[in-house]
Amino acid sequence: MGRTPCCDSKALKKGPWTPDEDKLLVDYVQANGSGNWRMLPKLAGLNRCGKSCRLRWTNYLRPDIKRGPFTPEEHKSILQLHAIVGNKWSMIAAQLPGRTDNEIKNYWNTNVKKQLRQGHSAAVGEQAALASLGGGATSCPAARHMAQWETARLEAEARLSLLSSTTSAATASFAASSSSSSTVAAGADHVTEAPPDIYLRLWNSEVGDSFRKSALSAGREEEPVNASDEAVPVSAFAPPGDDSSAVSNVTASAGADEYQVFLDLAAEELELSSFHGRHGGFPLFPSADMLGDASLYTAFD
DNA sequence: AACCACCGCAACCGCGAAAAG
DNA sequence: TCTTTTCGCGGTTGCGGTGGT
């Protein structure tokens, strides 16, 4: 089991790449393609691990890489997509042509987290007022809010997967897409792109609020938030389209009426394709009163 | 001017999944 | 069907740059 070392560790070079190495790699890939990364270093005359070559190519040398600061649109997309899929950087990168998963990951870990922290500090007053909402089950607000945020996000993801199976195949391709999700990135039609925004919009609407409160209150009764938990890995849940336990839990924990209204509205949104107003008129993240907890932003601390 | 702390980014590491044999 | 190999992903590390004291 496991996997053998990617290279034979015989004094292969590590660390920063030199311009000469870059040139060798670029020349080789442009001439021969990037088929076998294991053999590539030898064939290209590089004293590097194949893995290192692949990383260098995909994250830096690839000709279609878009460098420079993230645009506001990209920033918003990252926020929205992260709210849906979590730390699935490759999926997020697939929605942002020219951006690499590594770049987005770094961007998130520096800029976005920082901004969210700043946003949180602005809401500290509200946080104090709402501090009692958690029921006092845990002594660590940050951990509790992290868990709450993850719960809300995963429920949205579960809901998305459920809807995906009931709408068009094109829609379903959104969440099902993974590393090879260029189908989504390349999808010019707004339908394939719609789910994240629709769900965030609905999630932030009154209907979503109603459903959310129902779901969260039910969830609190059944399984108290564990303060010591890290963020729940998305991979722990069944893939989209699957009738997963996550979906079952959501539908079971939330009121059926709220859930149906939520689904109906989502379907309506998809039908009308009223997606043109994306980014407009709704907050990128649930506001404090929407989630019933002003200290939401500590989730990213 | 020198030192220190912090930040951002490129690169590495280890794991799981997929593909190949 | 099982084992081995390869690839891709996400998390983490470490170095260089920058700003503050």
Side-chain angles (χ1 to χ4, degrees):
Chain A
M1 286 291 283
R3 76 176 274 274
T4 55
C6 72
C7 42
D8 302 334
S9 68
K10 46 183 181 186
L12 289 179
K13 191 182 174 192
K14 290 184 180 179
W17 282 64
T18 65
D20 287 344
E21 288 176 315
D22 283 345
K23 188 174 187 314
L24 281 173
L25 181 55
V26 169
D27 287 348
Y28 181 86
V29 173
Q30 285 180 346
N32 304 285
S34 56
N36 188 340
W37 287 112
R38 189 175 175 82
M39 294 302 296
L40 188 146
K42 197 175 292 181
L43 297 172
L46 285 160
N47 187 31
R48 289 272 185 176
C49 170
K51 201 171 180 176
S52 178
C53 293
R54 183 181 61 81
L55 217 62
R56 182 66 178 172
W57 173 258
T58 56
N59 286 337
Y60 201 83
L61 297 175
R62 234 174 48 199
D64 59 329
I65 283 182
K66 176 181 172 185
R67 309 211 69 85
F70 283 77
T71 66
E73 287 72 25
E74 287 174 322
H75 178 85
K76 287 177 181 176
S77 294
I78 291 171
L79 290 177
Q80 290 183 324
L81 290 166
H82 188 273
I84 296 294
V85 304
N87 293 1
K88 296 292 179 184
W89 306 117
S90 59
M91 287 180 73
I92 297 174
Q95 313 298 313
L96 300 172
R99 299 295 187 182
T100 70
D101 53 356
N102 202 43
E103 194 177 10
I104 293 170
K105 180 172 58 180
N106 284 333
Y107 180 70
W108 179 269
N109 285 333
T110 55
N111 302 45
V112 180
K113 272 188 176 178
K114 189 169 66 182
Q115 286 178 20
L116 289 174
R117 272 196 296 267
Q118 288 167 355
H120 161 61
S121 64
V124 162
E126 283 182 84
Q127 175 181 355
L130 294 166
S132 61
L133 280 178
T138 68
S139 59
C140 177
R144 178 164 52 83
H145 299 143
M146 166 76 89
Q148 286 178 349
W149 172 244
E150 285 296 329
T151 298
R153 185 177 61 72
L154 287 166
E155 283 172 358
E157 185 185 12
R159 229 170 264 109
L160 171 61
S161 78
L162 190 65
L163 180 68
S164 296
S165 64
T166 59
T167 53
S168 68
T171 304
S173 75
F174 164 73
S177 62
S178 57
S179 59
S180 61
S181 61
S182 56
T183 54
V184 176
D189 60 334
H190 50 266
V191 175
T192 57
E193 219 183 358
D197 292 280
I198 288 174
Y199 268 89
L200 283 175
R201 283 173 62 184
L202 291 176
W203 192 241
N204 295 332
S205 70
E206 284 184 17
V207 175
D209 189 31
S210 169
F211 172 75
R212 192 163 50 242
K213 280 174 180 169
S214 172
L216 289 177
S217 65
R220 257 197 295 275
E221 287 172 13
E222 288 172 12
E223 45 179 9
V225 173
N226 184 352
S228 64
D229 277 350
E230 290 294 321
V232 180
V234 177
S235 56
F237 290 80
D242 185 26
D243 186 16
S244 66
S245 60
V247 175
S248 305
N249 289 342
V250 170
T251 54
S253 63
D257 291 341
E258 289 88 342
Y259 184 67
Q260 192 52 55
V261 171
F262 194 86
L263 288 182
D264 289 344
L265 275 176
E268 204 175 306
E269 285 273 357
L270 283 169
E271 265 188 40
L272 295 174
S273 300
S274 58
F275 185 59
H276 306 300
R278 67 177 312 188
H279 306 328
F282 74 98
L284 290 166
F285 280 86
S287 65
D289 54 347
M290 281 173 174
L291 272 190
D293 194 338
S295 50
L296 162 71
Y297 296 102
T298 55
F300 300 94
D301 281 344

